Amino acid sequence: MGRISESLITPYHAFAIFAGSAFATALLWPESLPAAFVAVMRGPFLHHTVAFFLGFLGVQIGEAEYGYGTHPWLRRALRLVALVGLGVCLVMPFLLVHRVETGLPWPQFGALCGFFLLYGLFWALVGYGLAAAVHWDGLRFAVKYGCLFLVVFPPTLAGFPLSPFSTVDGLWAGAAVGWGGLTLYGALDFGALGAWRWASRRSSRG
């Protein structure tokens, strides 16, 4: 993977800290509270938190990678995958211990980890694209976090798998909406990478 941009050190630290805080909260959440809250907090809450902040980390990865070194599109894409994977690996100890504590089946755990990688890569591609297309920092800030808000919250109310919360809940329960979200983000990543490859080849010919 090579060197990592120094501007990513703080985002990685923050991501790990937020995930660690959610992990501690999930383990220590008192069972004396209403059962519905206990089921969420002792269940998918940690994965909700990881997915939510992975969107922020992914955008920052994409922005930091834009213009960092000279790489052909394939190597740049692989770097984005590796950098997102590094973020997932940072919180993997929390996820593994949580799996043991909750008894989450391995297939569902693997699907959730796969979703984190696909979801983080999607936002890394968004961040990279915004850095290339929007050069005014203020506008780019508004667009990237506005997009995050629109993807995370409104689809949740409708239970649409575009929302990471809906997908996490579905994968946790083994429901169809979870697998739909996993497939959706895989298709979005594949489409974005294909468009990037096409644009790269076209610009090189020009």
Side-chain angles (χ1 to χ4, degrees):
M1 182 173 63
R3 295 183 59 189
I4 298 175
S5 172
E6 293 182 1
S7 64
L8 288 176
I9 301 301
T10 297
Y12 277 126
H13 283 169
F15 178 61
I17 289 170
F18 283 125
S21 300
F23 171 72
T25 302
L27 289 186
L28 300 176
W29 190 261
E31 295 186 358
S32 58
L33 295 177
F37 288 103
V38 174
V40 172
M41 298 302 295
R42 291 289 183 92
F45 170 71
L46 171 61
H47 296 81
H48 287 162
T49 304
V50 170
F52 179 72
F53 287 106
L54 192 55
F56 289 88
L57 178 63
V59 168
Q60 291 169 314
I61 286 172
E63 285 186 308
E65 272 295 287
Y66 178 74
Y68 183 74
T70 303
H71 303 292
W73 82 269
L74 180 57
R75 186 175 178 187
R76 181 72 72 184
L78 291 174
R79 278 182 60 87
L80 291 177
V81 173
L83 289 168
V84 172
L86 175 60
V88 176
C89 288
L90 284 176
V91 301
M92 189 58 68
F94 302 132
L95 297 174
L96 286 169
V97 173
H98 185 264
R99 192 211 72 81
V100 173
E101 290 291 327
T102 59
L104 182 68
W106 280 110
Q108 288 155 245
F109 177 80
L112 282 163
C113 292
F115 169 69
F116 291 151
L117 186 61
L118 294 174
Y119 182 71
L121 177 59
F122 169 77
W123 284 111
L125 291 168
V126 169
Y128 189 92
L130 285 176
V134 183
H135 300 290
W136 182 35
D137 291 342
L139 178 60
R140 189 167 66 250
F141 179 91
V143 171
K144 67 183 179 183
Y145 292 120
C147 289
L148 266 168
F149 176 85
L150 290 175
V151 167
V152 171
F153 294 107
T156 302
L157 301 177
F160 188 61
L162 183 65
S163 166
F165 297 151
S166 298
T167 298
V168 164
D169 285 340
L171 291 174
W172 181 272
V177 66
W179 297 105
L182 190 68
T183 303
L184 173 62
Y185 277 99
L188 289 172
D189 290 344
F190 183 79
L193 289 170
W196 187 5
R197 180 176 183 271
W198 176 81
S200 177
R201 293 182 64 180
R202 185 176 181 183
S203 62
S204 64
R205 289 175 182 174

